[in-house]
Amino acid sequence: MSLFDLMLKNYFDEKMLEKLSKVKILVIGCGGLGSNIAVMLVRSGVKNLTIVDFDKVDISNLNRQNYFFYQTGQEKVSALKDILEKINPYVAIKAISMKIDESNIDDLILQHDIIVEAVDNEQTKMLIFKKAYDHGKKVVLASGVAGFGDCENIKIKRGKNFSVVGDFVTSINEKKPLAPKVMAVAAMQADEVLRMVSELE
């Protein structure tokens, strides 16, 4: 047992620790939401994480995404994998540099227990939700993360096998996403993932 695992014993019972070590989680999108969600999940004891994105770290990302100045120009999945392995070198991180579409999403979703939607594109959001639903997978989504000064409006809507977190109003096309609100939504998405893990058989 690693030192990281010993530390987690102060926070979770044996049953939850076992679930965290076995559950396979897929995070689609490694931007403001996904990068922060992945960090929180690894800090919380998740051992098997797949991260997917097709973009590179840009200096304009640093106001809200969990990257460092020296990582600009790197593929997001590679940069994030490096960060996650620095937090806990015993995790199994699969980094996939790929754009999600109809041709590749089914295979990915079928390999995982819980899906995290963390993308900007509305069509891709709907595709992720539909495919997760079709395959009977648990999924956590976001809707409304832009702006600042109104974090009290963030809500969680739950249904069978899904949770949606956000204010359900603001669009990144109308307001800019900033670290406080983006990270608040990311934290609540990560917390929903932990709740779902606790409910697994």
Side-chain angles (χ1 to χ4, degrees):
M1 182 174 287
S2 72
L3 286 173
F4 201 94
D5 291 331
L6 288 170
M7 176 273 294
L8 288 170
K9 287 173 74 71
N10 294 317
Y11 299 94
F12 298 113
D13 61 26
E14 291 293 337
K15 192 172 181 181
M16 184 63 173
L17 285 173
E18 185 178 1
K19 289 179 180 181
L20 288 167
S21 70
K22 289 182 177 179
V23 67
K24 294 180 180 178
I25 296 173
L26 171 64
V27 177
I28 303 176
C30 296
L33 293 173
S35 62
N36 286 297
I37 291 166
V39 165
M40 285 183 266
L41 291 178
V42 166
R43 291 191 187 280
S44 299
V46 168
K47 294 275 187 68
N48 301 289
L49 190 65
T50 300
I51 53 176
V52 182
D53 203 301
F54 62 92
D55 208 358
K56 293 183 177 179
V57 179
D58 186 83
I59 195 166
S60 65
N61 302 148
L62 301 182
N63 78 318
R64 65 197 183 281
Q65 300 184 18
N66 206 319
Y67 299 105
F68 297 92
F69 190 88
Y70 76 89
Q71 292 178 310
T72 54
Q74 296 181 20
E75 287 187 339
K76 284 185 178 178
V77 290
S78 299
L80 184 55
K81 184 175 190 282
D82 185 56
I83 290 168
L84 299 175
E85 289 174 343
K86 282 183 168 67
I87 295 169
N88 182 2
Y90 301 97
V91 292
I93 306 294
K94 185 186 289 187
I96 302 175
S97 184
M98 179 175 74
K99 191 168 186 175
I100 291 293
D101 59 31
E102 283 273 5
S103 71
N104 53 36
I105 190 169
D106 290 282
D107 215 28
L108 261 181
I109 284 180
L110 285 167
Q111 296 175 44
H112 297 85
D113 303 305
I114 299 173
I115 317 303
V116 180
E117 176 276 307
V119 302
D120 296 333
N121 183 278
E122 291 295 329
Q123 288 181 320
T124 308
K125 281 178 180 285
M126 291 306 298
L127 177 64
I128 293 166
F129 176 69
K130 180 182 182 302
K131 293 294 186 177
Y133 182 84
D134 288 348
H135 292 301
K137 301 290 185 176
K138 295 178 182 294
V139 60
V140 180
L141 309 103
S143 178
V145 303
F148 63 92
D150 60 349
C151 280
E152 71 276 9
N153 294 326
I154 299 171
K155 304 175 185 70
I156 300 173
K157 293 183 180 179
R158 298 186 181 115
K160 182 177 169 59
N161 285 339
F162 74 87
S163 298
V164 189
V165 181
D167 64 19
F168 299 90
V169 176
T170 59
S171 166
I172 61 170
N173 297 320
E174 299 164 1
K175 294 182 179 182
K176 297 295 183 185
L178 295 164
K181 191 169 180 182
V182 169
M183 292 176 76
V185 172
M188 292 172 72
Q189 281 186 275
D191 194 60
E192 282 298 289
V193 172
L194 292 180
R195 182 184 64 78
M196 289 178 174
V197 172
S198 72
E199 294 173 349
L200 292 173
E201 293 299 325

